[in-house]
Amino acid sequence: MDSQIKHIHQQLVDKKISCTALIQQKLNALKENTNNTVNSLLDDLALHLAAKVDAKITNGDTIGLLEGIPFGIKDVYMLQGTYATASSNLLKNYKSPYTATAIQKLLNAGAIPIVKENCDSFGHGSSSENTIFGAVKNASNPDLVGGGSSGGSAVNVAKDYTIFSIGGDTGGSVRQPAGYNHVYGLKPTYGRISRYGLMAYASSTDCVGPIAKSVEDIRIVLNVMSGKDVKDQTSITSSEISEEAIKTLSEFKTLKGLGKIGYFKNFIENDAIDSKIKADFLTAIEKIKAKGIQVKALDFFKSDILVSTYYTLAMAETASNLSRLDGSNYGNRIEDKNLKESYAITRSENFSEETKRRIVGGNQVLSQGFSDEIYLKGLALRDAISENFENDFKEVDIILSPVTPNTPPKIGDSLKDPHAMYLSDAYTVGFSLGQLPTLTIPQGTDTGLQITAAKNNDELVLKFANFLKDTI
């Protein structure tokens, strides 16, 4: 699909549509939608900003490429004056006192936020069922989950309710729902986009990520949000990616480096992978080979080790990050006979079962007698995983993988079996631990393919995605 952003921009410039009419159309569609993607509509703000864009066009002023483009925001981002609920009981009445850096950059470019989107509470889940607003329903089949934790964001893009949406990816929370709903979803290199104003889940892997219907729209939004931020010490300086740089090339060997791709054979030889996803992935590999591209099977950590390592560290970090949510400074406070009991009942009553499971698990991991045995071992494994990636990218330019081992489950199934839900992240969490740029594309298997490159090689990921559009 060609760039929707560029198409709408041209329509606005040519006065074929008004920005106000466009925004109202999207708001009406969101109001009527039955996929449970909406936590709150930003009607007043969106229409106010649209009127400003229309006034500029009427006056003959030049508008920017993103000016007037409607987008959605996963409800874990701050947008001053709007609700930031994290789909939780604890923060259901909380209003943002400031705006996240990534969102502010989009506002500065003229993009118009129209909706705060449903998600797993605090990002805790892989199905967007762990939410006070009701389970997000898949864009193709409402009996299936929308994926998570950025399920509302992915479904809104897939259903054309938003032109793009901003999700958050900790262990696959942009990539997996993008795969479930057949759209593009990017987890950039860790630190490329500031995390300031994103509610922290696991600070060492949290990434701001765009979801859209084309590689070009991903590129446009990524460029706007990227950059060093004094408010986030983990943020990094990065170069802008040009449209010319990612255009489709006829031969992958002309891209960069060795012109080889790799895949992890233990992902594909795993007993847990769906037979059709496996067969489709291997077919995609053969089509790539037919283009004369070298493909190398790589050894990697077993998927259960990746999942265990990720959840050990992620639970530890979320237990620490959510310790501030006690009803005193944030959220709905429930009074009891003393301060300690007030803290206890506030957190017990307002956190979901999944969030409590992760906090308890994290506190266990960090507790005396367990931290050396479990947490420090997890840190050592993460270092080993990163070293493995460094060695792999000396041999190949791109690693290709399925996004998920299975197709989307039915709504309700994940809640019955949290362990199965964790294992659905088996193919995404490793790249999060390595802090690598990874893109889901809606091709190759029923839940798409995942393209990964070495750190700071986001451009190469987008370039190869364009290459695959004409290859598989």
Side-chain angles (χ1 to χ4, degrees), residues 238-258:
S238 57
S239 301
E240 184 168 297
I241 300 171
S242 70
E243 180 180 2
E244 190 63 32
I246 68 164
K247 280 188 175 176
T248 307
L249 301 179
S250 60
E251 295 184 70
F252 179 53
K253 66 183 180 183
T254 62
L255 296 183
K256 183 179 179 180
L258 303 172

Side-chain angles (χ1 to χ4, degrees), residues 98-125:
Y98 65 96
T99 298
T101 296
I103 305 303
Q104 187 61 57
K105 286 186 172 185
L106 291 169
L107 293 173
N108 294 345
I112 298 179
I114 60 173
V115 60
K116 297 297 289 292
E117 296 166 321
N118 199 359
C119 58
D120 283 303
S121 181
F122 296 105
H124 299 159

Side-chain angles (χ1 to χ4, degrees), residues 35-38 117-119 128 136 146-147 149-157 162 165 177:
N35 293 80
N36 286 343
T37 61
V38 177
E117 296 166 321
N118 199 359
C119 58
S128 291
V136 174
S149 59
S150 308
S153 303
V155 172
N156 279 342
V157 169
T162 60
S165 286

